[in-house]
Amino acid sequence: MTASTTPRTHPELIAALRADLGEAPFAVDAVRERLGDLAANALGREQSLPARRAVAGASDPLGILIGCFGLGLPTAADDLARALPRTGVTGAVTLGIVEPQGAHVVATCDLRPYGDDAGGAWWVASDPTEHARSGPLPVDHVLGIGGASSTLASWTPRPRVARALDVGTGCGVQALHLSGHADAVVATDLSRRALGYAAFNAALNEQDWDLREGSFLEPVAGEAFDLIVSNPPFVITPRTADVPLYEYRDGGAAGDAVVAALTQQVGAHLAPGGIAQLLGNWESVAGQDWRERVGEWVAASGLDAWVVQRDVQDPAEYAALWSRDGGHLPGTSEHEALVGAWLDDFEQRGVEQIGFGVITLHRPTSRRAPFVDLVEATGAVASPMGPAIAAGLVARDRLAGLDDDALLDTAWRCADDVTTETHAAPGASDPHVIVLRQGGGLARSIRLDTLDAALVSVCDGELTARQSLTAISALLDLPTGEALGAGAGLVRRLAADGLLLPG
């Protein structure tokens, strides 16, 4: 099954629609206020009933727009004409965003306001969501704003750049974010329907993107960019005829080969100092740590790499998630057949775990060995994470150029968001557990031994690490060389994640 329509980019009607949406006002905060917290929160969990109740019988433009474009409710043509006075019902039909059904109209797309923490405010059109349609999604479904796209947007650093690339743009969510800090935005996608939505969203939000049809990096052969982002079709899908291959999530390759290839090939398109930010899934077979598998990809890239695994699922969890994602309801024979196909595929290939995470790649500006940092952080992190990623790349780039002697001859201070936490047995005079905690960034929690705790306690930007460790080694009756070696390792780890900063 395929979707049937894609919005059209009629300049005069797009301008009229933009003015109507702005006047409503069809904006993030206004929609939340109109629905109320309960209904807005439920809709964020894809529970639409409270929102439908909140706009039932609506006569105000905002309530009408929410019901029509956000919830997919049949809307009286006269009501839509009142909500879109410049566009009109005829204009909305011409744009391909609604279709008539007697005295009513029904939206052919999901259209909603969207914003970011930097003050960006946009409208995003995509195919209707699951709660606005009956039955499974069509295989050429164009996804809108989802958990993965929000994660990528949050984790992407936002330096001012000349050229940015969005690989697998879909409806253009990442391109909207890039438009706020890139002089030129190029976006690629294999799906012609996705590019149609991206063109509509660019026009509606007065953006000028260079949209190119093609697979992954093929449309930008020979070109370099300062920032590349990609929420690729990374879902690991069984290659069997009875499993639907959704364009938005399946890249046409077995296992995790899509993410592996993108990780290894993206460096050819990064300018010196350029950053690539990718999402992905990766598999681990019996006895294999995920770092082994992803480590092979980043080693082949030749780039600096900082990979954070955010979640791990076993094959049954993964199968249930993605069988449900396409609209196949648990308990149905179709859903059980899909889960079975996933379980068979993982069993045949010996896959025991599937990881999800964020891959940050960086092309150094100097000739040095690349750094590789593969870590796990499954808890809450800063939001947005982009500033922490940017700072972490700067720190790792600097550390990669420092040997231990230079590191020890630097004065360090604790970041403002760092605290220590001590635990002692009842009645004990000294703590037996000391934990260093980071309030922002990856929210690191690091257990310290006595030497570590003593060093961190005097990191105030005055003494160098060497001076501090020399004094501490005498107090603890440790060989100075041993203390310096252990201390250098600790400083390198803490400075990479921003717990320690140069004094």
Side-chain angles (χ1 to χ4, degrees):
M1 181 173 62
T2 60
S4 57
T5 63
T6 306
R8 306 176 187 92
T9 53
H10 187 292
E12 290 80 9
L13 290 175
I14 286 280
L17 178 61
R18 185 187 311 119
D20 286 338
L21 296 178
E23 186 176 273
F26 199 39
V28 172
D29 290 343
V31 168
R32 185 172 191 86
E33 183 177 352
R34 176 63 176 80
L35 290 177
D37 287 343
L38 185 148
N41 291 338
L43 193 58
R45 300 189 299 268
E46 298 187 358
Q47 297 173 289
S48 62
L49 178 58
R52 295 201 308 270
R53 289 164 57 94
V55 299
S59 59
D60 60 301
L62 183 55
I64 294 167
L65 293 174
I66 294 170
C68 181
F69 293 110
L71 300 171
L73 302 177
T75 303
D78 289 345
D79 286 344
L80 187 65
R82 187 165 59 256
L84 300 176
R86 299 168 183 82
T87 311
V89 174
T90 300
V93 172
T94 301
L95 285 173
I97 59 175
V98 300
E99 60 184 14
Q101 288 189 0
H104 291 74
V105 294
V106 175
T108 59
C109 68
D110 179 275
L111 177 62
R112 64 182 64 191
Y114 178 59
D116 66 6
D117 296 308
W122 310 291
W123 296 287
V124 176
S126 62
D127 275 335
T129 59
E130 183 186 335
H131 68 247
R133 64 166 76 239
S134 59
L137 301 177
V139 293
D140 60 350
H141 178 79
V142 177
L143 195 65
I145 303 156
S149 60
S150 297
T151 295
L152 180 58
S154 174
W155 282 67
T156 298
R158 303 288 172 192
R160 189 75 209 176
V161 297
R163 301 191 78 213
L165 171 65
D166 179 11
V167 180
T169 189
C171 70
V173 174
Q174 304 307 320
L176 285 170
H177 286 278
L178 293 173
S179 66
H181 61 105
D183 297 335
V185 176
V186 178
T188 72
D189 207 293
L190 186 62
S191 167
R192 189 166 296 178
R193 291 196 69 249
L195 289 176
Y197 267 110
F200 180 85
N201 287 326
L204 184 58
N205 292 286
E206 298 184 278
Q207 299 298 325
D208 182 18
W209 304 333
D210 183 352
L211 300 174
R212 306 184 191 180
E213 183 178 350
S215 179
F216 296 107
L217 297 163
E218 289 177 2
V220 294
E223 298 181 53
F225 299 85
D226 306 297
L227 178 61
I228 299 175
V229 301
S230 183
N231 175 17
F234 58 74
V235 176
I236 298 166
T237 309
R239 317 317 294 177
T240 56
D242 53 350
V243 176
L245 303 180
Y246 291 103
E247 291 180 352
Y248 70 86
R249 73 183 199 191
D250 182 82
D256 51 19
V258 163
V259 182
L262 189 57
T263 301
Q264 295 172 56
Q265 296 168 10
V266 73
H269 301 277
L270 278 181
I275 301 167
Q277 194 78 331
L278 322 171
L279 297 185
N281 275 156
W282 39 81
E283 302 174 331
S284 297
V285 298
Q288 182 186 45
D289 187 277
W290 70 272
R291 295 170 183 83
E292 297 177 41
R293 186 163 188 83
V294 179
E296 293 174 355
W297 305 348
V298 300
S301 76
L303 302 170
D304 292 334
W306 181 13
V307 184
V308 181
Q309 179 165 276
R310 296 287 292 144
D311 190 25
V312 181
Q313 293 182 317
D314 63 35
E317 292 174 302
Y318 195 85
L321 170 66
W322 293 110
S323 297
R324 176 67 184 85
D325 175 74
H328 300 274
L329 299 178
T332 64
S333 59
E334 292 84 358
H335 182 266
E336 292 187 0
L338 289 174
V339 171
W342 254 283
L343 294 177
D344 288 343
D345 177 58
F346 286 135
E347 183 177 2
Q348 290 165 8
R349 296 186 297 108
V351 176
E352 289 195 347
Q353 285 189 332
I354 304 93
F356 167 80
V358 187
I359 300 173
T360 305
L361 303 169
H362 170 256
R363 179 171 293 286
T365 55
S366 61
R367 295 179 62 86
R368 59 162 174 77
F371 66 73
V372 176
D373 194 3
L374 310 179
V375 299
E376 191 158 3
T378 56
V381 297
S383 181
M385 263 297 291
I389 294 295
L393 286 175
V394 170
R396 285 166 171 79
D397 186 37
R398 181 172 187 268
L399 290 166
L402 292 180
D403 60 19
D404 280 357
D405 282 334
L407 193 78
L408 291 168
D409 289 331
T410 301
W412 300 91
R413 62 178 177 85
C414 287
D416 293 340
D417 64 343
V418 171
T419 58
T420 54
E421 181 180 293
T422 60
H423 301 265
S429 58
D430 296 314
H432 66 273
V433 175
I434 304 173
V435 178
L436 194 69
R437 293 198 182 279
Q438 182 184 34
L442 290 174
R444 284 304 202 194
S445 176
I446 300 167
R447 186 165 176 170
L448 305 178
D449 62 20
T450 304
L451 174 68
D452 297 339
L455 175 59
V456 169
S457 70
V458 296
C459 283
D460 58 4
E462 297 295 327
L463 297 176
T464 67
R466 186 185 303 277
Q467 292 170 322
S468 298
L469 287 164
T470 300
I472 292 168
S473 66
L475 290 173
L476 298 180
D477 196 23
L478 289 173
T480 301
E482 180 182 328
L484 291 174
L490 176 70
V491 169
R492 196 172 290 276
R493 293 195 304 275
L494 298 183
D497 283 330
L499 287 83
L500 287 183
L501 304 173

